[in-house]
Coordinates of all heavy atoms in Angstrom, one line a residue:
V60 N -17.9 50.0 -36.0 CA -19.0 49.3 -36.7 C -19.1 47.9 -36.1 O -20.2 47.4 -35.9 CB -18.8 49.3 -38.2 CG1 -19.8 48.4 -38.9 CG2 -18.7 50.7 -38.8
S61 N -17.9 47.2 -36.0 CA -17.9 45.9 -35.5 C -16.6 45.5 -34.8 O -15.6 46.2 -35.1 CB -18.3 44.8 -36.6 OG -17.2 44.8 -37.6
V62 N -16.6 44.5 -34.0 CA -15.4 44.0 -33.3 C -15.4 42.5 -33.6 O -16.4 41.8 -33.4 CB -15.4 44.3 -31.8 CG1 -14.2 43.8 -31.2 CG2 -15.6 45.7 -31.5
E63 N -14.3 42.0 -34.2 CA -14.2 40.7 -34.7 C -12.9 40.0 -34.3 O -11.9 40.7 -34.1 CB -14.3 40.6 -36.2 CG -15.5 41.3 -36.7 CD -15.5 41.6 -38.2 OE1 -14.6 41.1 -38.9 OE2 -16.4 42.4 -38.7
R64 N -12.9 38.7 -34.2 CA -11.7 37.9 -34.1 C -11.2 37.6 -35.5 O -12.0 37.5 -36.4 CB -12.0 36.5 -33.4 CG -12.2 36.6 -31.9 CD -12.6 35.3 -31.3 NE -11.5 34.3 -31.5 CZ -11.3 33.3 -30.6 NH1 -11.9 33.3 -29.5 NH2 -10.3 32.5 -30.8
F65 N -9.9 37.7 -35.7 CA -9.4 37.4 -37.0 C -7.9 36.8 -36.9 O -7.3 37.0 -35.9 CB -9.5 38.6 -37.9 CG -8.3 39.6 -37.8 CD1 -7.5 39.9 -38.9 CD2 -7.9 40.2 -36.6 CE1 -6.4 40.8 -38.8 CE2 -6.9 41.0 -36.5 CZ -6.1 41.3 -37.6
T66 N -7.5 36.1 -37.9 CA -6.2 35.6 -38.0 C -5.6 36.2 -39.3 O -6.0 35.8 -40.3 CB -6.2 34.0 -38.0 OG1 -7.0 33.5 -36.9 CG2 -4.8 33.5 -38.1
P67 N -4.7 37.1 -39.1 CA -4.1 37.9 -40.3 C -3.4 36.9 -41.3 O -3.7 37.0 -42.5 CB -3.1 38.9 -39.7 CG -3.5 39.0 -38.3 CD -4.2 37.7 -37.9
L68 N -2.6 36.1 -40.8 CA -1.8 35.2 -41.7 C -1.9 33.8 -41.1 O -2.1 33.6 -39.9 CB -0.3 35.6 -41.8 CG -0.1 37.0 -42.3 CD1 1.4 37.3 -42.3 CD2 -0.6 37.1 -43.7
R69 N -1.7 32.7 -42.0 CA -1.7 31.4 -41.5 C -0.7 31.2 -40.4 O 0.3 31.8 -40.4 CB -1.4 30.4 -42.7 CG -2.6 30.3 -43.6 CD -2.3 29.2 -44.6 NE -0.9 29.0 -45.0 CZ -0.5 28.0 -45.7 NH1 -1.2 27.1 -46.0 NH2 0.8 28.0 -46.0
Q70 N -1.1 30.3 -39.5 CA -0.2 29.9 -38.4 C 0.0 31.0 -37.3 O 0.9 30.9 -36.5 CB 1.1 29.3 -38.8 CG 1.0 28.1 -39.8 CD 2.3 27.6 -40.3 OE1 3.3 28.2 -40.1 NE2 2.2 26.3 -40.8
M71 N -0.8 32.0 -37.4 CA -0.8 33.1 -36.3 C -1.9 32.8 -35.3 O -2.9 32.1 -35.7 CB -1.0 34.5 -36.9 CG 0.1 35.1 -37.7 SD -0.2 36.7 -38.3 CE -0.3 37.6 -36.7
G72 N -1.7 33.2 -34.1 CA -2.8 33.2 -33.1 C -3.8 34.2 -33.5 O -3.5 35.2 -34.3
Y73 N -5.0 34.0 -33.0 CA -6.1 35.0 -33.5 C -5.8 36.4 -32.8 O -5.1 36.5 -31.8 CB -7.5 34.5 -33.0 CG -7.9 34.8 -31.6 CD1 -8.6 36.0 -31.3 CD2 -7.5 33.9 -30.6 CE1 -8.9 36.2 -30.0 CE2 -7.9 34.2 -29.3 CZ -8.6 35.4 -29.0 OH -8.9 35.6 -27.7
G74 N -6.4 37.4 -33.5 CA -6.2 38.7 -33.0 C -7.6 39.5 -33.0 O -8.6 38.9 -33.3
L75 N -7.6 40.7 -32.6 CA -8.8 41.5 -32.6 C -8.8 42.5 -33.7 O -7.8 43.2 -33.9 CB -8.9 42.3 -31.3 CG -10.2 43.0 -31.0 CD1 -11.3 42.0 -30.7 CD2 -10.1 44.0 -29.8
L76 N -9.9 42.6 -34.5 CA -10.0 43.5 -35.6 C -11.2 44.4 -35.3 O -12.3 43.9 -34.9 CB -10.3 42.7 -36.9 CG -10.6 43.5 -38.1 CD1 -9.4 43.5 -39.0 CD2 -11.8 43.1 -38.8
V77 N -11.1 45.7 -35.5 CA -12.1 46.6 -35.3 C -12.4 47.2 -36.6 O -11.4 47.7 -37.3 CB -11.7 47.7 -34.3 CG1 -12.8 48.9 -34.3 CG2 -11.6 47.1 -32.9
V78 N -13.7 47.2 -37.1 CA -14.1 47.9 -38.3 C -14.5 49.3 -37.9 O -15.4 49.4 -37.1 CB -15.2 47.2 -39.1 CG1 -15.6 47.9 -40.3 CG2 -14.7 45.8 -39.4
L79 N -13.8 50.3 -38.4 CA -14.0 51.7 -38.0 C -14.6 52.5 -39.2 O -14.0 52.6 -40.2 CB -12.7 52.3 -37.5 CG -12.8 53.6 -36.7 CD1 -13.4 53.4 -35.4 CD2 -11.4 54.2 -36.6
E80 N -15.7 53.2 -38.9 CA -16.3 54.1 -39.9 C -15.8 55.6 -39.6 O -16.1 56.1 -38.6 CB -17.8 54.0 -39.9 CG -18.4 54.8 -41.1 CD -19.9 54.6 -41.1 OE1 -20.4 53.6 -40.6 OE2 -20.6 55.5 -41.7
T81 N -15.1 56.1 -40.5 CA -14.6 57.5 -40.4 C -15.4 58.3 -41.4 O -16.1 57.8 -42.2 CB -13.1 57.6 -40.7 OG1 -12.9 57.4 -42.1 CG2 -12.3 56.5 -40.0
P82 N -15.2 59.6 -41.3 CA -15.9 60.5 -42.3 C -15.6 60.2 -43.8 O -16.4 60.4 -44.6 CB -15.5 61.9 -41.9 CG -15.2 61.9 -40.5 CD -14.6 60.5 -40.3
G83 N -14.4 59.6 -44.0 CA -13.9 59.4 -45.4 C -13.9 58.0 -45.8 O -13.8 57.7 -47.0
E84 N -14.0 57.0 -44.9 CA -13.9 55.6 -45.3 C -14.3 54.7 -44.1 O -14.4 55.1 -43.0 CB -12.4 55.2 -45.7 CG -11.5 55.4 -44.5 CD -10.0 55.2 -44.9 OE1 -9.8 54.5 -45.9 OE2 -9.2 55.7 -44.2
T85 N -14.5 53.4 -44.5 CA -14.7 52.4 -43.5 C -13.4 51.5 -43.6 O -13.0 51.1 -44.7 CB -15.9 51.5 -43.7 OG1 -17.1 52.4 -43.6 CG2 -16.0 50.4 -42.7
I86 N -12.7 51.3 -42.5 CA -11.4 50.7 -42.5 C -11.2 49.7 -41.4 O -11.7 49.9 -40.3 CB -10.2 51.8 -42.5 CG1 -8.9 51.2 -42.8 CG2 -10.3 52.5 -41.1 CD1 -7.8 52.2 -43.1
D87 N -10.5 48.6 -41.7 CA -10.1 47.6 -40.7 C -9.0 48.1 -39.9 O -8.0 48.6 -40.4 CB -9.7 46.3 -41.4 CG -10.9 45.6 -42.0 OD1 -12.1 46.0 -41.8 OD2 -10.6 44.6 -42.8
V88 N -9.1 48.0 -38.5 CA -8.0 48.3 -37.6 C -7.5 47.0 -36.9 O -8.3 46.3 -36.3 CB -8.5 49.3 -36.5 CG1 -7.4 49.6 -35.6 CG2 -9.0 50.6 -37.2
H89 N -6.3 46.7 -37.2 CA -5.7 45.5 -36.5 C -5.2 45.9 -35.1 O -4.2 46.6 -35.1 CB -4.5 45.0 -37.4 CG -4.9 44.6 -38.8 ND1 -4.1 43.8 -39.5 CD2 -6.0 44.8 -39.5 CE1 -4.7 43.6 -40.7 NE2 -5.9 44.2 -40.7
V90 N -5.9 45.4 -34.1 CA -5.6 45.9 -32.8 C -4.4 45.1 -32.2 O -3.4 45.8 -31.8 CB -6.8 45.8 -31.8 CG1 -6.5 46.2 -30.4 CG2 -7.9 46.6 -32.4
G91 N -4.4 43.8 -32.1 CA -3.4 43.0 -31.6 C -3.8 41.6 -31.3 O -4.9 41.3 -31.5
P92 N -2.9 40.8 -30.7 CA -3.2 39.4 -30.4 C -4.4 39.4 -29.3 O -4.4 40.1 -28.4 CB -2.0 38.8 -29.9 CG -1.1 40.0 -29.5 CD -1.5 41.2 -30.3
G93 N -5.2 38.4 -29.5 CA -6.4 38.2 -28.7 C -6.0 38.1 -27.2 O -6.7 38.7 -26.3
W94 N -5.0 37.3 -27.0 CA -4.6 37.0 -25.5 C -4.2 38.3 -24.8 O -4.5 38.5 -23.6 CB -3.5 36.0 -25.4 CG -2.2 36.4 -26.1 CD1 -1.8 36.0 -27.3 CD2 -1.2 37.2 -25.5 NE1 -0.6 36.6 -27.6 CE2 -0.1 37.3 -26.5 CE3 -1.0 37.8 -24.3 CZ2 1.1 38.0 -26.2 CZ3 0.2 38.5 -24.0 CH2 1.2 38.5 -25.0
F95 N -3.5 39.2 -25.6 CA -3.1 40.5 -25.0 C -4.2 41.5 -24.8 O -4.4 42.0 -23.7 CB -2.0 41.2 -25.9 CG -1.6 42.5 -25.4 CD1 -0.6 42.6 -24.4 CD2 -2.1 43.7 -25.9 CE1 -0.3 43.8 -23.8 CE2 -1.7 44.9 -25.4 CZ -0.8 45.0 -24.4
V96 N -5.1 41.6 -25.8 CA -6.2 42.5 -25.7 C -7.1 42.1 -24.6 O -7.7 42.9 -23.8 CB -6.9 42.6 -27.0 CG1 -8.1 43.5 -26.9 CG2 -6.0 43.2 -28.1
A97 N -7.3 40.8 -24.4 CA -8.2 40.2 -23.4 C -7.7 40.6 -22.0 O -8.5 40.7 -21.1 CB -8.4 38.7 -23.5
E98 N -6.4 40.8 -21.8 CA -5.8 41.1 -20.6 C -5.9 42.6 -20.2 O -5.6 43.0 -19.1 CB -4.3 40.6 -20.5 CG -4.1 39.1 -20.5 CD -2.6 38.7 -20.6 OE1 -1.8 39.6 -20.7 OE2 -2.4 37.5 -20.6
Q99 N -6.3 43.4 -21.1 CA -6.4 44.8 -20.9 C -7.8 45.2 -20.4 O -8.8 44.6 -20.7 CB -6.0 45.6 -22.2 CG -4.8 45.1 -22.8 CD -3.6 45.1 -21.9 OE1 -3.2 46.0 -21.3 NE2 -2.9 43.9 -21.8
D100 N -7.9 46.3 -19.7 CA -9.2 46.8 -19.3 C -9.6 48.0 -20.3 O -9.5 49.1 -20.0 CB -9.0 47.4 -17.9 CG -10.4 47.9 -17.3 OD1 -11.4 47.4 -17.8 OD2 -10.3 48.8 -16.4
F101 N -10.0 47.5 -21.5 CA -10.3 48.4 -22.6 C -11.3 47.8 -23.4 O -11.1 47.3 -24.5 CB -9.0 48.8 -23.4 CG -9.2 50.0 -24.2 CD1 -8.7 51.2 -23.7 CD2 -9.7 50.0 -25.5 CE1 -8.9 52.4 -24.4 CE2 -9.8 51.1 -26.2 CZ -9.4 52.3 -25.7
P102 N -12.6 47.7 -23.0 CA -13.6 47.1 -23.8 C -13.9 48.0 -25.0 O -13.9 49.2 -24.9 CB -14.9 47.1 -22.9 CG -14.6 48.1 -21.8 CD -13.1 48.2 -21.7
I103 N -14.2 47.3 -26.1 CA -14.5 48.0 -27.4 C -15.9 47.4 -27.9 O -16.0 46.2 -28.0 CB -13.4 47.8 -28.5 CG1 -12.0 48.2 -27.9 CG2 -13.7 48.5 -29.7 CD1 -10.9 47.8 -28.8
N104 N -16.8 48.3 -28.2 CA -18.1 47.8 -28.6 C -18.6 48.6 -29.8 O -18.2 49.8 -30.0 CB -19.1 48.0 -27.5 CG -18.8 47.1 -26.2 OD1 -18.7 45.9 -26.3 ND2 -18.4 47.8 -25.2
P105 N -19.4 48.0 -30.7 CA -20.0 48.8 -31.7 C -20.7 50.0 -31.2 O -21.3 50.0 -30.2 CB -21.1 47.8 -32.4 CG -20.5 46.4 -32.0 CD -19.9 46.6 -30.7
G106 N -20.5 51.2 -31.9 CA -21.0 52.4 -31.5 C -20.0 53.3 -30.7 O -20.3 54.5 -30.7
D107 N -19.0 52.7 -30.2 CA -18.0 53.5 -29.6 C -17.2 54.4 -30.5 O -17.0 54.1 -31.6 CB -16.9 52.5 -28.9 CG -17.4 51.8 -27.7 OD1 -18.6 52.0 -27.3 OD2 -16.6 50.9 -27.2
R108 N -16.9 55.6 -30.0 CA -16.1 56.5 -30.8 C -14.6 56.2 -30.4 O -14.3 56.2 -29.2 CB -16.4 57.9 -30.5 CG -17.8 58.3 -30.9 CD -18.0 59.8 -30.8 NE -19.4 60.1 -31.3 CZ -19.7 60.2 -32.6 NH1 -18.7 60.0 -33.5 NH2 -20.9 60.5 -33.0
L109 N -13.8 56.0 -31.4 CA -12.3 55.7 -31.2 C -11.5 56.7 -31.9 O -11.8 57.1 -33.0 CB -12.0 54.3 -31.6 CG -12.4 53.1 -30.8 CD1 -11.8 51.8 -31.4 CD2 -11.8 53.3 -29.4
T110 N -10.4 57.0 -31.3 CA -9.3 57.7 -32.0 C -8.1 56.6 -32.1 O -7.8 55.9 -31.1 CB -8.7 58.9 -31.2 OG1 -9.8 59.8 -31.2 CG2 -7.5 59.5 -32.0
V111 N -7.7 56.4 -33.3 CA -6.7 55.3 -33.6 C -5.5 55.9 -34.2 O -5.6 56.6 -35.2 CB -7.3 54.2 -34.6 CG1 -6.3 53.1 -35.0 CG2 -8.6 53.6 -34.0
R112 N -4.3 55.5 -33.7 CA -3.1 55.9 -34.2 C -2.4 54.6 -34.7 O -2.4 53.6 -34.0 CB -2.2 56.6 -33.2 CG -0.8 57.0 -33.7 CD -0.1 58.0 -32.7 NE 1.2 58.3 -33.2 CZ 1.5 59.2 -34.2 NH1 0.5 59.7 -34.9 NH2 2.7 59.4 -34.5
G113 N -1.8 54.6 -35.9 CA -1.2 53.4 -36.4 C -0.7 53.6 -37.8 O -0.8 54.6 -38.4
S114 N -0.1 52.5 -38.3 CA 0.5 52.5 -39.6 C -0.6 52.0 -40.7 O -1.1 50.9 -40.6 CB 1.7 51.4 -39.6 OG 2.1 51.2 -40.9
R115 N -0.7 52.8 -41.7 CA -1.7 52.5 -42.8 C -0.9 51.6 -43.7 O 0.2 51.9 -44.1 CB -2.1 53.8 -43.5 CG -3.1 53.5 -44.7 CD -3.5 54.7 -45.3 NE -4.5 55.4 -44.5 CZ -5.8 55.3 -44.6 NH1 -6.3 54.4 -45.4 NH2 -6.6 56.0 -43.8
I116 N -1.5 50.4 -43.9 CA -1.0 49.4 -44.8 C -2.0 49.0 -45.8 O -3.2 49.3 -45.7 CB -0.5 48.2 -44.0 CG1 -1.6 47.5 -43.3 CG2 0.6 48.6 -43.1 CD1 -1.3 46.1 -42.8
L117 N -1.6 48.2 -46.8 CA -2.5 47.5 -47.7 C -2.4 46.1 -47.3 O -1.4 45.4 -47.4 CB -2.0 47.7 -49.2 CG -3.0 47.3 -50.3 CD1 -4.3 48.2 -50.1 CD2 -2.4 47.5 -51.7
F118 N -3.6 45.5 -46.9 CA -3.6 44.2 -46.3 C -4.7 43.4 -47.1 O -5.9 43.8 -47.1 CB -3.9 44.1 -44.8 CG -3.9 42.8 -44.3 CD1 -2.7 42.2 -44.0 CD2 -5.1 42.1 -44.0 CE1 -2.7 40.9 -43.4 CE2 -5.0 40.9 -43.4 CZ -3.8 40.2 -43.2

Side-chain angles (χ1 to χ4, degrees):
V60 175
S61 65
V62 180
E63 306 165 10
R64 284 175 63 144
F65 84 122
T66 305
L68 302 175
R69 286 187 328 165
Q70 300 180 347
M71 285 183 70
Y73 84 91
L75 189 71
L76 175 110
V77 170
V78 178
L79 194 70
E80 185 175 339
T81 73
E84 66 185 332
T85 299
I86 190 165
D87 290 349
V88 176
H89 299 196
V90 178
W94 63 265
F95 177 78
V96 177
E98 292 175 357
Q99 309 309 305
D100 183 23
F101 198 93
I103 304 169
N104 297 297
D107 288 353
R108 294 191 177 280
L109 282 183
T110 299
V111 176
R112 181 167 175 76
S114 172
R115 181 176 287 267
I116 63 167
L117 195 60
F118 185 76

